[in-house]
mmCIF file of all heavy atoms in Angstrom:
data_model
loop_
_atom_site.group_PDB
_atom_site.id
_atom_site.type_symbol
_atom_site.label_atom_id
_atom_site.label_comp_id
_atom_site.label_asym_id
_atom_site.label_seq_id
_atom_site.Cartn_x
_atom_site.Cartn_y
_atom_site.Cartn_z
ATOM 1 N N ILE A 122 -36.367 30.909 62.905
ATOM 2 C CA ILE A 122 -36.506 30.764 61.433
ATOM 3 C C ILE A 122 -36.069 29.416 60.883
ATOM 4 O O ILE A 122 -36.757 28.718 60.147
ATOM 5 C CB ILE A 122 -35.701 31.837 60.701
ATOM 6 C CG1 ILE A 122 -36.265 33.334 61.061
ATOM 7 C CG2 ILE A 122 -35.703 31.713 59.246
ATOM 8 C CD1 ILE A 122 -35.455 34.454 60.591
ATOM 9 N N LEU A 123 -34.872 28.982 61.388
ATOM 10 C CA LEU A 123 -34.393 27.726 60.928
ATOM 11 C C LEU A 123 -35.308 26.482 61.408
ATOM 12 O O LEU A 123 -35.345 25.471 60.715
ATOM 13 C CB LEU A 123 -32.978 27.494 61.387
ATOM 14 C CG LEU A 123 -31.897 28.358 60.657
ATOM 15 C CD1 LEU A 123 -30.580 28.200 61.350
ATOM 16 C CD2 LEU A 123 -31.827 27.999 59.189
ATOM 17 N N LYS A 124 -36.018 26.706 62.475
ATOM 18 C CA LYS A 124 -36.864 25.578 62.991
ATOM 19 C C LYS A 124 -37.929 25.268 61.918
ATOM 20 O O LYS A 124 -38.397 24.153 61.808
ATOM 21 C CB LYS A 124 -37.532 25.964 64.264
ATOM 22 C CG LYS A 124 -36.620 25.846 65.500
ATOM 23 C CD LYS A 124 -37.441 26.197 66.793
ATOM 24 C CE LYS A 124 -36.538 26.016 67.987
ATOM 25 N NZ LYS A 124 -37.239 26.492 69.218
ATOM 26 N N LYS A 125 -38.260 26.157 61.005
ATOM 27 C CA LYS A 125 -39.230 25.961 60.013
ATOM 28 C C LYS A 125 -38.831 24.861 59.047
ATOM 29 O O LYS A 125 -39.647 24.297 58.393
ATOM 30 C CB LYS A 125 -39.562 27.224 59.205
ATOM 31 C CG LYS A 125 -40.038 28.470 59.945
ATOM 32 C CD LYS A 125 -40.194 29.726 59.173
ATOM 33 C CE LYS A 125 -40.480 30.900 59.966
ATOM 34 N NZ LYS A 125 -41.712 30.794 60.685
ATOM 35 N N PHE A 126 -37.551 24.599 59.081
ATOM 36 C CA PHE A 126 -37.024 23.544 58.157
ATOM 37 C C PHE A 126 -36.573 22.319 58.853
ATOM 38 O O PHE A 126 -35.867 21.516 58.260
ATOM 39 C CB PHE A 126 -35.812 24.111 57.438
ATOM 40 C CG PHE A 126 -36.067 25.482 56.714
ATOM 41 C CD1 PHE A 126 -35.859 26.723 57.248
ATOM 42 C CD2 PHE A 126 -36.842 25.462 55.573
ATOM 43 C CE1 PHE A 126 -36.215 27.883 56.616
ATOM 44 C CE2 PHE A 126 -37.169 26.563 54.917
ATOM 45 C CZ PHE A 126 -36.813 27.827 55.435
ATOM 46 N N SER A 127 -37.068 22.028 60.078
ATOM 47 C CA SER A 127 -36.801 20.883 60.761
ATOM 48 C C SER A 127 -37.337 19.704 59.975
ATOM 49 O O SER A 127 -38.264 19.788 59.248
ATOM 50 C CB SER A 127 -37.485 20.869 62.074
ATOM 51 O OG SER A 127 -36.897 21.863 62.971
ATOM 52 N N HIS A 128 -36.686 18.581 60.098
ATOM 53 C CA HIS A 128 -37.018 17.380 59.343
ATOM 54 C C HIS A 128 -36.791 17.414 57.835
ATOM 55 O O HIS A 128 -37.334 16.580 57.119
ATOM 56 C CB HIS A 128 -38.308 16.799 59.773
ATOM 57 C CG HIS A 128 -38.447 16.767 61.238
ATOM 58 N ND1 HIS A 128 -37.897 15.787 62.010
ATOM 59 C CD2 HIS A 128 -39.300 17.501 62.030
ATOM 60 C CE1 HIS A 128 -38.271 15.987 63.239
ATOM 61 N NE2 HIS A 128 -39.062 16.913 63.416
ATOM 62 N N LYS A 129 -36.116 18.405 57.393
ATOM 63 C CA LYS A 129 -35.728 18.542 56.007
ATOM 64 C C LYS A 129 -34.252 18.112 55.882
ATOM 65 O O LYS A 129 -33.578 18.055 56.799
ATOM 66 C CB LYS A 129 -35.836 19.969 55.556
ATOM 67 C CG LYS A 129 -37.215 20.616 55.599
ATOM 68 C CD LYS A 129 -38.159 20.117 54.531
ATOM 69 C CE LYS A 129 -39.452 20.949 54.598
ATOM 70 N NZ LYS A 129 -40.469 20.195 53.788
ATOM 71 N N THR A 130 -33.903 17.739 54.601
ATOM 72 C CA THR A 130 -32.483 17.367 54.372
ATOM 73 C C THR A 130 -31.973 18.266 53.175
ATOM 74 O O THR A 130 -32.641 18.359 52.199
ATOM 75 C CB THR A 130 -32.454 15.875 53.837
ATOM 76 O OG1 THR A 130 -32.912 15.074 54.857
ATOM 77 C CG2 THR A 130 -31.041 15.565 53.538
ATOM 78 N N PHE A 131 -30.938 18.963 53.541
ATOM 79 C CA PHE A 131 -30.335 19.915 52.601
ATOM 80 C C PHE A 131 -28.878 19.530 52.315
ATOM 81 O O PHE A 131 -28.178 19.030 53.161
ATOM 82 C CB PHE A 131 -30.260 21.325 53.167
ATOM 83 C CG PHE A 131 -31.659 21.870 53.388
ATOM 84 C CD1 PHE A 131 -32.072 22.111 54.690
ATOM 85 C CD2 PHE A 131 -32.468 22.197 52.292
ATOM 86 C CE1 PHE A 131 -33.388 22.629 54.758
ATOM 87 C CE2 PHE A 131 -33.678 22.788 52.367
ATOM 88 C CZ PHE A 131 -34.226 22.975 53.647
ATOM 89 N N ALA A 132 -28.485 19.662 51.059
ATOM 90 C CA ALA A 132 -27.060 19.532 50.673
ATOM 91 C C ALA A 132 -26.367 20.785 51.088
ATOM 92 O O ALA A 132 -27.018 21.917 51.000
ATOM 93 C CB ALA A 132 -26.964 19.343 49.067
ATOM 94 N N ILE A 133 -25.190 20.599 51.705
ATOM 95 C CA ILE A 133 -24.436 21.798 52.069
ATOM 96 C C ILE A 133 -23.048 21.584 51.540
ATOM 97 O O ILE A 133 -22.670 20.486 51.272
ATOM 98 C CB ILE A 133 -24.455 22.072 53.548
ATOM 99 C CG1 ILE A 133 -23.853 20.895 54.348
ATOM 100 C CG2 ILE A 133 -25.860 22.353 54.096
ATOM 101 C CD1 ILE A 133 -23.658 21.060 55.800
ATOM 102 N N LEU A 134 -22.135 22.580 51.667
ATOM 103 C CA LEU A 134 -20.734 22.519 51.232
ATOM 104 C C LEU A 134 -19.993 21.974 52.464
ATOM 105 O O LEU A 134 -19.241 22.732 53.020
ATOM 106 C CB LEU A 134 -20.195 23.908 50.763
ATOM 107 C CG LEU A 134 -20.846 24.292 49.430
ATOM 108 C CD1 LEU A 134 -20.357 25.595 49.033
ATOM 109 C CD2 LEU A 134 -20.558 23.294 48.292
ATOM 110 N N CYS A 135 -20.154 20.712 52.720
ATOM 111 C CA CYS A 135 -19.307 20.022 53.639
ATOM 112 C C CYS A 135 -19.198 18.581 53.343
ATOM 113 O O CYS A 135 -20.245 17.932 53.066
ATOM 114 C CB CYS A 135 -19.928 20.270 55.034
ATOM 115 S SG CYS A 135 -19.034 19.504 56.373
ATOM 116 N N ASP A 136 -17.995 18.025 53.224
ATOM 117 C CA ASP A 136 -17.734 16.568 52.886
ATOM 118 C C ASP A 136 -16.500 16.215 53.487
ATOM 119 O O ASP A 136 -15.467 16.681 53.267
ATOM 120 C CB ASP A 136 -17.702 16.537 51.387
ATOM 121 C CG ASP A 136 -17.778 15.078 50.925
ATOM 122 O OD1 ASP A 136 -16.937 14.288 51.506
ATOM 123 O OD2 ASP A 136 -18.532 14.798 49.980
#
Side-chain angles (χ1 to χ4, degrees):
I122 294 167
L123 289 172
K124 281 181 180 178
K125 298 175 188 307
F126 305 101
S127 291
H128 306 292
K129 301 278 187 196
T130 300
F131 294 112
I133 63 170
L134 290 177
C135 185
D136 190 310

